[in-house]
Amino acid sequence: MIDIEKIREDFPILSEKVYNKDLVYLDNGATTQKPKQVVDKIVAGYYNTNANIHRGVHFLSQRATEAHEAARETVREFINANESKEIIFTRGTTEAINLVVSSYGEHYLQAGDEVIITEMEHHANIVPWQMLREKKGIVIKVVPMNDKQELDMEAYKQLFSPKTKFASFAHVSNVLGTINPIKEMIQIAHEHGAKVLVDGAQGVPHLKVDVKDLDADFYVFSAHKIYGPTGIGILYGKEEILDLMPPYQGGGEMIATVTFDKTVYNELPYKFEAGTPDYIGSTAFAEALNYVKTIGLENIEAHEVELLKYATEKLKEIDGVVIYGNAEHKSAVLSFNVEGIHHYDMGMLLDKQGIAVRTGHHCAQPLMEVLGIEGTVRATFAVYNTKEEVDKFIEAVKKVVTMFR
Ligand code: PMP
């Protein structure tokens, strides 16, 4: 069992008051709060280690380089990749997907080639493919859902054709919480000779990910959703595929030699890391992963699922509540509406009671269209949330409902 009160002490922001009320932070799907350990690491990085990395002969530069490369190794171990050169630092999930679509997509996909995505994708895994469609004339096919908002696996299988070159889907939906059967989906895609990218933005923070076991070609995620800093994330890619891909951006770091006639690109992972990387962010990110490891991801998941179940039961008791995302396998996301109350009004009135939730389309407008709604109210849970907070949230929803009726 985990000691939530002790964990909460690591997150000073949780003691903030909002309109003189205790903050109840249930917007973890958008970004998690950061423990002191992570913030301290950032401060110590700038106070004690700051110097631009790689190529530096001086002591501090070497110290900073070692810390940055050690962070890469921490990430490698966390997702069980083969080699640390398969870990590319990006600005986050969005940049990692754009990198793959630009570099792999523009180079290896041709007009008429098909890419499979799903109805529950975040815009970050839709728009880059549409941009590629504009440029290259690829075809995008979309996997539908069943009435529990799980992917229709029969339909998924049927979408493959000899022209399918790529499948790109979320590990966990940021709106529905649905945990997709990604191992099976990857296997099916590979049987058809297609490459696979998994958007793990909502996967890594809650579920043990083993990229080797999954056999994912690419797996991407953001540090800020797993207690780490903003502005940094990961593209994991299989070495043999990354090796074949051209660089995404040109500049420093990604070169071996440059003359005015010709540039020889650097080896992995640097080939994809043009410019000064966020070497302070990377070490803070590693600290966040170590923090999670110390608590145990399986303990975190168990705690969050318990909160999710408790909150779902309580919410269902309220008249007029509709929950979106009723999958068998579900992660810590609770999206809902209450009949006759606009999601925005609900969000605003919860905020006035100290409850932070997200409202709107959650960067998944096509999914909203499928569900026939404009938006939802979304509560998302993290390790530091408590049953008492769920009770406050439920009481606050009830209060809003009473105001409207
Ligand atoms: N995919 C999913 C499923 C997400 O939840 C998010 C963040 N809301 C993203 C992609 C984009 O992540 P980031 O903004 O950190 O690049």
Side-chain angles (χ1 to χ4, degrees), residues 89-312:
F89 285 114
T90 66
R91 282 197 301 124
T93 303
T94 303
E95 190 180 49
I97 298 174
N98 277 277
L99 191 165
V100 172
V101 176
S102 290
S103 172
Y104 187 90
E106 285 190 27
H107 210 75
Y108 291 106
L109 301 193
Q110 312 301 336
D113 283 349
E114 294 169 1
V115 173
I116 295 177
I117 62 172
T118 83
E119 282 186 341
M120 61 175 79
E121 296 312 312
H122 186 281
H123 294 164
N125 196 25
I126 301 174
V127 183
W129 294 110
Q130 290 175 336
M131 289 163 71
L132 187 67
R133 182 169 64 189
E134 290 289 307
K135 283 187 197 152
K136 306 262 322 194
I138 60 156
V139 175
I140 299 171
K141 290 178 155 183
V142 184
V143 189
M145 301 179 297
N146 63 22
D147 53 11
K148 286 160 126 183
Q149 294 84 41
E150 297 163 320
L151 291 179
D152 179 338
M153 287 298 284
E154 274 316 303
Y156 173 66
K157 288 177 197 160
Q158 296 301 323
L159 283 183
F160 283 89
S161 86
K163 289 190 172 160
T164 311
K165 294 284 156 55
F166 217 105
S168 193
F169 41 76
H171 190 169
V172 175
S173 159
N174 64 314
V175 179
L176 307 165
T178 308
I179 302 174
N180 291 319
I182 56 169
K183 189 170 176 181
E184 191 187 341
M185 292 173 76
I186 291 168
Q187 197 190 334
I188 292 166
H190 284 166
E191 281 164 12
H192 290 86
K195 297 279 183 276
V196 180
L197 179 145
V198 179
D199 171 356
Q202 304 288 344
V204 160
H206 309 286
L207 305 165
K208 177 80 197 125
V209 170
D210 181 330
V211 290
K212 251 193 288 187
D213 177 57
L214 290 171
D215 199 22
D217 299 306
F218 302 100
Y219 190 102
V220 302
F221 57 106
S222 301
H224 71 95
K225 292 183 197 283
I226 180 166
Y227 313 104
T230 52
I232 189 163
I234 295 298
L235 161 63
Y236 157 79
K238 283 183 185 162
E239 182 186 354
E240 64 268 27
I241 304 175
L242 292 175
D243 259 339
L244 293 174
M245 288 162 52
Y248 168 55
Q249 294 180 328
E253 241 12 273
M254 53 71 75
I255 56 94
T257 59
V258 182
T259 68
F260 280 114
D261 290 329
K262 186 175 164 35
T263 291
V264 177
Y265 303 133
N266 205 341
E267 58 194 18
L268 290 175
Y270 313 112
K271 180 171 81 173
F272 292 110
E273 295 181 348
T276 299
D278 186 357
Y279 52 83
I280 301 286
S282 63
T283 54
F285 182 11
E287 191 68 28
L289 296 180
N290 287 333
Y291 184 83
V292 165
K293 255 194 319 202
T294 307
I295 300 171
L297 200 48
E298 58 295 342
N299 293 326
I300 295 176
E301 188 196 357
H303 173 66
E304 290 170 346
V305 167
E306 197 183 318
L307 291 181
L308 176 69
K309 285 201 175 132
Y310 181 65
T312 305

